[in-house]
Amino acid sequence: MKRISAPRRTTSLSAQLVDSLRSHIESGGWPVGTRIPPEQALIEELGVGRSTLREAIGALVHLGLLEPRAGDGTYVRSSSELQSVMVRRASSARRDHVLELRTVLEEYASQAAALRRDESQLQQLRELLADADAACADEDTSAATNVDALFHRAVVRASGNDLLIEVYDYLGTALTSSLGGLPWDAVHAEEHARLHRRLVDAIEARDAGGARGAAAAIVQLTRGHETGTPRAAEDR
């Protein structure tokens, strides 16, 4: 098991411990959703006092990386401060504003992916489409949601824009958190799958305009679903 880097003995021991624990979380030493070791175990491992540890843990809770649960310990809530902030911000934003943000990011990413993708990235998108079809056939909503998130991240990665990839990785959790939970019926699920196939076909053909249009239609479908319209008007 990966060990946490103990802080150097300086006048700002608590601040260094915050940095050390933050790095440990960011590197996956404590994965999101897991419970961190008990207080006494951390004191012994890191060689720090109880008050120093509690101060550092409190700072990470304030930053949104950790979450205390009464009677059950402290859990990792997020792997980065930016992701945590974006999840909180998206959860308080108007739903249509979140959809607009998603449209901007995914339209550009899809357009760029059509121009820059390589064969391995295209193959990954095809495999994710197959996984999505399998999840829908099994009526496994949780698996379908997870595959959909992986699919859109794969499209963004195929854009070749490192900064966009990094920002979307942070925003992806926020978008999924804010937009999740819609009860997709058979009509919407079929249209959702069709638009995703259309997007991959456009990326394969290096059709930047077609890819951008398909990405926009996917987001429009979510809007239409909320209002009872199964297909985006521009896709008729």
Side-chain angles (χ1 to χ4, degrees):
M1 179 178 177
K2 183 177 179 181
R3 293 183 60 81
I4 308 168
S5 299
R8 296 186 302 276
R9 300 292 178 178
T10 68
T11 56
S12 185
L13 185 60
S14 177
Q16 288 199 47
L17 182 55
V18 169
D19 289 340
S20 179
L21 294 177
R22 181 198 287 120
S23 296
H24 191 67
I25 292 170
E26 289 177 348
S27 67
W30 289 340
V32 173
T34 61
R35 183 171 56 187
I36 70 172
E39 182 179 85
Q40 188 58 41
L42 288 173
I43 289 173
E44 294 174 1
E45 178 178 354
L46 299 171
V48 298
R50 192 176 305 276
S51 61
T52 297
L53 177 63
R54 288 182 175 178
E55 185 178 347
I57 294 296
L60 293 173
V61 169
H62 180 72
L63 291 172
L65 300 185
L66 296 179
E67 177 185 12
R69 300 180 186 176
D72 193 29
T74 301
Y75 285 75
V76 180
R77 181 180 182 184
S78 176
S79 61
S80 74
E81 295 163 55
L82 178 57
Q83 184 184 74
S84 176
V85 168
M86 290 308 302
V87 169
R88 291 200 301 270
R89 182 65 185 90
S91 66
S92 65
R94 286 170 46 182
R95 197 175 185 87
D96 59 328
H97 287 179
V98 177
L99 286 165
E100 287 176 6
L101 175 59
R102 178 180 171 185
T103 301
V104 169
L105 295 174
E106 295 192 3
E107 279 188 31
Y108 180 82
S110 298
Q111 170 183 285
L115 299 175
R116 300 171 183 166
R117 59 83 180 165
D118 59 32
E119 290 302 316
S120 65
Q121 291 167 332
L122 182 61
Q123 179 61 29
Q124 182 185 24
L125 291 175
R126 291 291 185 193
E127 291 173 355
L128 287 169
L129 283 182
D131 291 343
D133 288 342
C136 288
D138 293 338
E139 298 184 349
D140 189 337
T141 303
S142 177
T145 299
N146 290 336
V147 172
D148 189 64
L150 290 173
F151 175 88
H152 287 287
R153 280 186 170 88
V155 171
V156 173
R157 292 183 185 282
S159 74
N161 184 320
D162 290 340
L163 182 57
L164 177 61
I165 292 168
E166 183 177 356
V167 169
Y168 192 87
D169 278 345
Y170 289 137
L171 288 175
T173 299
L175 295 175
T176 300
S177 175
S178 178
L179 299 176
L182 292 177
W184 290 86
D185 56 30
V187 174
H188 285 96
E190 181 180 352
E191 184 69 357
H192 188 259
R194 187 187 71 81
L195 289 174
H196 281 66
R197 289 193 295 270
R198 175 180 143 189
L199 173 57
V200 175
D201 288 343
I203 291 174
E204 180 174 21
R206 299 194 184 278
D207 178 3
R212 183 165 190 154
I218 289 170
V219 180
Q220 272 299 111
L221 178 65
T222 304
R223 290 177 186 247
H225 182 203
E226 293 183 312
T227 59
T229 305
R231 183 174 297 184
E234 66 269 25
D235 192 48
R236 291 287 187 181

